[in-house]
Amino acid sequence: GAVVSQHPSWVICKSGTSVKIECRSLDFQATTMFWYRQFPKQSLMLMATSNEGSKATYEQGVEKDKFLINHASLTLSTLTVTSAHPEDSSFYICSARNRDSVTETQYFGPGTRLLVL
Amino acid sequence: AQKITQTQPGMFVQEKEAVTLDCTYDTSDPSYGLFWYKQPSSGEMIFLIYQGSYDQQNATEGRYSLNFQKARKSANLVISASQLGDSAMYFCAMREGPDYKLSFGAGTTVTVRA
């Protein structure tokens, strides 16, 4: 149980294009999902909290118009990197909070590596 | 101020030996949760073990155990009988009060030698 999928796992795109990343909780309902960004050999940096049926909450310094988040259902959240530039190249990873878990554990997807040329 | 501190950037351990990864935390909230995650080179974050602030006993999950010292605000992870597949980066994280967000430490890279 508590499986989270993320798609795509790899994406290479040209500068100026938009990229959509999907995060799905496969065997549990996730009212809250989180999007992180990670640079090589560094820790995870929380970008935003995605709540089902409401607007996402962005962390300080994260551009909401640049990183669009939609949480349309209890099992799906999407992150769209709009007008991507080389500096957006990174590892993006989502997590989902299992609301039925006593420990409120966050389970992570496998991540998406984005390379913007 | 750092909420989670992992002071060991990297560690080497011999196969079949035990290794302890340090984690200290800072919070004034009496209700919190502590997590350890493993991140192999593939990038996925694998949940290992959880310790609640009100739990009386140290958490254990197979070869993983958490040495929880509340007064010292430390939550060290012990991996027993290390295996080559344990080579990865390990992150300590904390959830405080009603906030569902996690604060992560900088991570510790563990390399298991044959």
Side-chain angles (χ1 to χ4, degrees), chain B residues 26-54:
Chain B
D26 183 27
T27 181
S28 57
D29 199 308
S31 176
Y32 53 90
L34 297 158
F35 302 81
W36 277 92
Y37 289 88
K38 171 186 177 182
Q39 187 178 40
S41 56
S42 57
E44 62 193 306
M45 290 282 285
I46 303 167
F47 166 67
L48 296 178
I49 197 166
Y50 166 83
Q51 181 83 45
S53 59
Y54 296 119

Side-chain angles (χ1 to χ4, degrees), chain A residues 28-43:
Chain A
F28 66 97
Q29 293 186 330
T31 52
T32 308
M33 290 183 170
F34 303 86
W35 288 96
Y36 296 84
R37 184 174 180 176
Q38 186 181 30
F39 292 104
K41 309 249 185 251
Q42 293 187 22
S43 189

Side-chain angles (χ1 to χ4, degrees), chain B residues 37-103:
Chain B
Y37 289 88
K38 171 186 177 182
Q39 187 178 40
S41 56
S42 57
E44 62 193 306
M45 290 282 285
I46 303 167
F47 166 67
L48 296 178
I49 197 166
Y50 166 83
Q51 181 83 45
S53 59
Y54 296 119
D55 293 344
Q56 296 295 313
Q57 292 188 322
N58 287 344
T60 60
E61 286 287 347
R63 293 188 298 111
Y64 304 108
S65 60
L66 202 150
N67 184 359
F68 182 46
Q69 298 188 39
K70 197 169 182 177
R72 294 185 178 184
K73 293 189 175 179
S74 75
N76 298 340
L77 176 71
V78 180
I79 306 174
S80 62
S82 295
Q83 302 171 356
L84 295 178
D86 293 334
S87 294
M89 196 151 184
Y90 290 81
F91 290 98
C92 179
M94 177 175 66
R95 185 196 68 235
E96 298 173 89
D99 194 343
Y100 301 129
K101 295 192 288 188
L102 290 177
S103 300

Side-chain angles (χ1 to χ4, degrees), chain A residues 30-70:
Chain A
T31 52
T32 308
M33 290 183 170
F34 303 86
W35 288 96
Y36 296 84
R37 184 174 180 176
Q38 186 181 30
F39 292 104
K41 309 249 185 251
Q42 293 187 22
S43 189
L44 279 70
M45 180 185 78
L46 179 65
M47 299 174 66
T49 302
S50 169
N51 296 297
E52 187 265 337
S54 64
K55 289 184 179 180
T57 305
Y58 291 83
E59 295 299 301
Q60 193 172 8
V62 178
E63 300 175 58
K64 62 178 73 172
D65 296 330
K66 173 76 171 173
F67 300 99
L68 299 179
I69 291 171
N70 183 274

